[in-house]
Amino acid sequence: MMSPLAPTQPAIESIIQALPLTLPTQTLVTEAIDQMSTTRTSSVLVTEDKQLAGIFTERDVVRLVSSNTKLLGLTLGQMMTRNVVFLKSSEAIDIFSVSRLFNLHKIRHVPILDDADQVIGIATPESVRSHLKPEHLLRYIRVAEVMEKKIILGTPDEPLLSLVKKMAQHRVSCVVIHQPENNRPIGIITERDTVRFVSKGVDFNEVTAQNVMTTPLSVVNDQDSLWGVHEKMQTLNIRRLVVTEGYGTLAGIVTQSQLLKLLDPTEMYHVMQQMQQVIEQQTQELVTLNQDLQAANAKLKELASIDDLTQLLNRRSFNHWLKQKWHYHLRYKKPLSLLICDVDYFKAYNDTYGHLAGDRCLMVIAQALQEAIRFSSDMVARFGGEEFAVILPDTDSFGVEVVAKKIQACLKNVQNQYTSDTLAKPVTLSMGGVTTIPDESFSTEQLLETADQLLYQAKQQGRNTYRLKMLASL
């Protein structure tokens, strides 16, 4: 026997047909066919010593009849299919995986066994279909999109044996009987019919299609939804529907296997993709307008948060980020450091060399500050005028001093890169730095005030230096 698939999803008791037709290997084929016809069952599970030994299906009946095999005296053990695809009840997977088994192995019956390899039920496309409620998906799909257009056809005066041979040769479950002159379907012969005819002793050589075909024929239009097909199949308890178009001309056939294939997750994904494409086409103009609006909003937000001259965060963004970092470090009791930097003698620089030179000077300083920060979480902002601020998350008093020294070094290096035409004269920075572990007893305003006082002290000490302090809770 073929090994069962590995378990993945919860059990599938809901789609297992309990008490399937089960017969021992020594049962005569003719007796099995009679029981299949009486119970309207599409298969027999064949057992030996209470364990699954094989399966005998409607398709096997078609094969035997088409080859003119004499059934008298044959047993199920001789005619059954031995390599059975099955599932263990303890390993039963989700219903979509069962559906994939049907498609993968081209089968319509999956026996369910217990851990002792004894039959407890069977899963079929009918049982899966009756469990699924695919209304929301199937309503959007037209029959024409999925129907099978290549149909095996027969004529009303064609012998029944010829039709059965066509089913066996093409490995299909039915032959559609049509009127050749106008290609209108008038009846159908199925595998299930074949089982019934054998049970009744019908002479397959003498009887023609028009005498035994199912008529009047239930049909659907190629523009109907698959949900309508699904409901009609359930109401009529059939596995297939002939499809017509225009004035009743034969167009194709749709089967329950096709419905199940659509409900396979991989197929469903493609169907949903097609649906999405339709939706996108219908709403493309709205999507484009929305994208343009989002882009404009993003640009406005960026302009509102960035200093136009230095391309650093502006004062508004600085306040926002400082509060966010404050609350984070307050919650996790981590050190937070802040540096306030001021350009030394900047007013004199502006007065001497002009505002354009002053702007170039500020851009050089912004570049130096960006190069000096160590981590992506560090933030540099233009605090106002010639003042800059650096937020240093997760940084203690030792770390803030390292950054202050690096700022001095980077500023010197950056200024050396520029000629006198770009930068009129090298400048220096005075800095005030404060480190704290945020506490409920003080606020960001006190942090800023302390850093500003330290900056003033650095100015008083001759500029081009820094003053640092650890701010403890009050």
Side-chain angles (χ1 to χ4, degrees), residues 23-41:
L23 298 171
T25 54
Q26 63 268 26
T27 304
L28 293 175
V29 169
T30 52
E31 181 185 341
I33 292 175
D34 287 343
Q35 291 201 40
M36 290 170 68
S37 178
T38 301
T39 59
R40 293 181 59 83
T41 302

Side-chain angles (χ1 to χ4, degrees), residues 35-154:
Q35 291 201 40
M36 290 170 68
S37 178
T38 301
T39 59
R40 293 181 59 83
T41 302
S42 60
S43 67
V44 176
L45 298 184
V46 187
T47 60
E48 190 169 19
D49 297 329
K50 296 184 178 181
Q51 293 189 334
L52 183 66
I55 191 169
F56 185 77
T57 69
E58 292 172 334
R59 185 152 292 178
D60 292 314
V61 178
V62 169
R63 175 172 52 83
L64 293 173
V65 172
S66 68
S67 61
N68 292 314
T69 302
K70 302 300 181 182
L71 302 182
L72 191 63
L74 292 178
T75 65
L76 288 178
Q78 294 172 293
M79 296 293 102
M80 68 184 182
T81 299
R82 295 182 178 275
N83 295 322
V84 184
V85 179
F86 66 88
L87 287 171
K88 289 289 190 71
S89 59
S90 59
E91 300 173 327
I93 52 182
D94 64 29
I95 57 178
F96 294 117
S97 297
V98 176
S99 177
R100 282 198 296 272
L101 275 182
F102 295 145
N103 293 324
L104 178 63
H105 299 286
K106 308 299 181 186
I107 58 177
R108 297 200 298 266
H109 309 86
V110 177
I112 311 298
L113 312 182
D114 61 17
D115 289 335
D117 290 336
Q118 294 189 4
V119 176
I120 61 173
I122 191 169
T124 65
E126 291 97 332
S127 65
V128 172
R129 189 189 67 192
S130 64
H131 178 73
L132 293 175
K133 303 299 179 186
E135 177 177 2
H136 294 95
L137 175 63
L138 298 185
R139 280 190 187 280
Y140 289 96
I141 307 173
R142 302 293 114 190
V143 172
E145 297 175 45
V146 299
M147 68 182 183
E148 177 58 59
K149 296 181 180 179
K150 294 181 180 179
I151 316 165
I152 304 305
L153 299 174

